[in-house]
Amino acid sequence: MDKLNLVSGMRSTGKLHLGHYMGVLTNWVKLQEEYNCFYFVADWHALTTKYNETANLRQDKLDVVLDWLACGIDPDKSTIYFQSNVLQIAELHILLSMITPNNWVERDPTLKDMVKILKNKDGDTSENIPQVNYGLLGYPILMSADIMAMNGAVVPVGVDQLAHLEITRDIARRFNNIYKTNLFNEPMPKLTQIPLLMGVDGQKMGKSFHNDIKISDDEQTTEKKIMLCITDRSRARKDDLGHPDKCEVAYKYYEIFADSETVNQVNCECKAGQRGCADCKRQLGRIINEKFAPIRQKRIELAKDMDKVRDIIREGGKKAAAEAEKTMIKVREAVNI
Ligand code: TRP
Ligand code: SF4
């Protein structure tokens, strides 16, 4: 049987962090075996909030793909592309916008979060509602076009994107009803079970919170950032008895990145007051560096030949456009345009 099409995208945020790696990329790498995967950089979506901050956009897009390739997203297995290289997505977005009621997009709960981001960006702490541009309002419609153009059956996303996917399913159903067709299936979300990785300060890991460790950080930078990790706050001296369960970040990272033997040893020594937090974090930095060394090395190699990387993206764009064109031939016919 043919593999089902799977579609997922990331906005072009620039270099990715370990939260992306643990939460999304390891999952994407595995899914390549089971599905026909379409992985793209959502650069049009980036413009819905960053329309006036495009100076780094081109570099950011390349950095995202470099991280994907280094982590094992394989262009021989998956289609890797920039959204804006597939014009059929824009065409489908227009057609879908014609049939999507205003209140479906205005109700989108994620829109409120994005509005908050816009406000913070303007340094606005008032209760004023910032201007919402037409493109931002259309965010879930564009996302629907991303998925439906590729005939996506499965969409791996985090919980924050579930509301969008619900709109996609509604739009697919409405299209079929209006144009009396069964052209579109209703794509299913595939929730990632892996919990979000916290940043070194214990908050959600994110670029804008300055608490993230990048996949591409060098060893020294990683070690420095790991030293900032929050530990058991009640502990002042090395021989104070520690509480790994109250060690807010460092021990949690051990549980995620270290083997179970090491975790056990850290646990015992910490409780017995035989392990200082500074030493403990130095060891943690080494463990993380060891784990990411092959990925980082691969990224460095890839970055030496950016023409090749651009080729991969261009070829992926052609493949994605061919897939989307198959859909659009049927869509144009259904709409009679
Ligand atoms: N909105 C998604 C995010 O912010 C990115 C995205 C755009 C996406 N289009 C998509 C994800 C289509 C899955 C499918 O994470
Ligand atoms: Fe956390 Fe390690 Fe310090 Fe224990 S010794 S509190 S596990 S950093």
Side-chain angles (χ1 to χ4, degrees), residues 107-115 139 160-164:
R107 263 202 314 252
D108 175 12
T110 321
L111 183 66
K112 298 196 178 71
D113 296 336
M114 287 187 290
V115 168
Y139 193 105
D160 59 316
Q161 298 295 315
L162 283 181
H164 286 149

Side-chain angles (χ1 to χ4, degrees), residues 229-233 235 238 240-252 254 263 266-267 269-271 274-281 284:
C229 282
I230 297 187
T231 62
D232 174 358
R233 291 177 203 260
R235 239 179 144 211
K238 174 181 166 173
D240 288 345
L241 303 189
H243 311 83
D245 52 319
K246 290 196 195 132
C247 176
E248 290 175 38
V249 180
Y251 188 70
K252 299 233 161 48
Y254 265 103
V263 175
V266 170
N267 187 300
E269 291 180 6
C270 175
K271 280 181 181 158
Q274 292 166 347
R275 169 173 279 264
C277 290
D279 283 340
C280 190
K281 290 195 277 190
L284 175 62

Side-chain angles (χ1 to χ4, degrees), residues 7-11 40 42 45 83 139 142-143 146-147 155-157 160-161 164-165:
V7 183
S8 204
M10 271 187 208
R11 274 174 288 173
F40 67 97
H45 276 107
Q83 180 187 37
Y139 193 105
L142 181 55
M143 200 163 144
D146 292 330
I147 299 164
V155 185
V157 284
D160 59 316
Q161 298 295 315
H164 286 149
L165 215 54

Side-chain angles (χ1 to χ4, degrees), residues 197-265:
L197 186 69
M198 59 176 72
V200 293
D201 58 357
Q203 309 298 309
K204 183 181 171 208
M205 186 178 276
K207 180 182 178 180
S208 46
F209 308 126
H210 305 289
N211 63 359
D212 62 342
I213 299 166
K214 308 278 190 220
I215 295 170
S216 53
D217 275 342
D218 61 30
E219 301 202 334
Q220 233 188 338
T221 309
T222 305
E223 277 162 25
K224 256 198 238 148
K225 288 181 178 175
I226 288 292
M227 294 312 284
L228 300 173
C229 282
I230 297 187
T231 62
D232 174 358
R233 291 177 203 260
S234 68
R235 239 179 144 211
R237 296 196 338 238
K238 174 181 166 173
D239 45 10
D240 288 345
L241 303 189
H243 311 83
D245 52 319
K246 290 196 195 132
C247 176
E248 290 175 38
V249 180
Y251 188 70
K252 299 233 161 48
Y253 281 7
Y254 265 103
E255 290 181 311
I256 292 169
F257 296 109
D259 58 57
S260 54
E261 205 178 312
T262 309
V263 175
N264 270 335
Q265 191 190 2

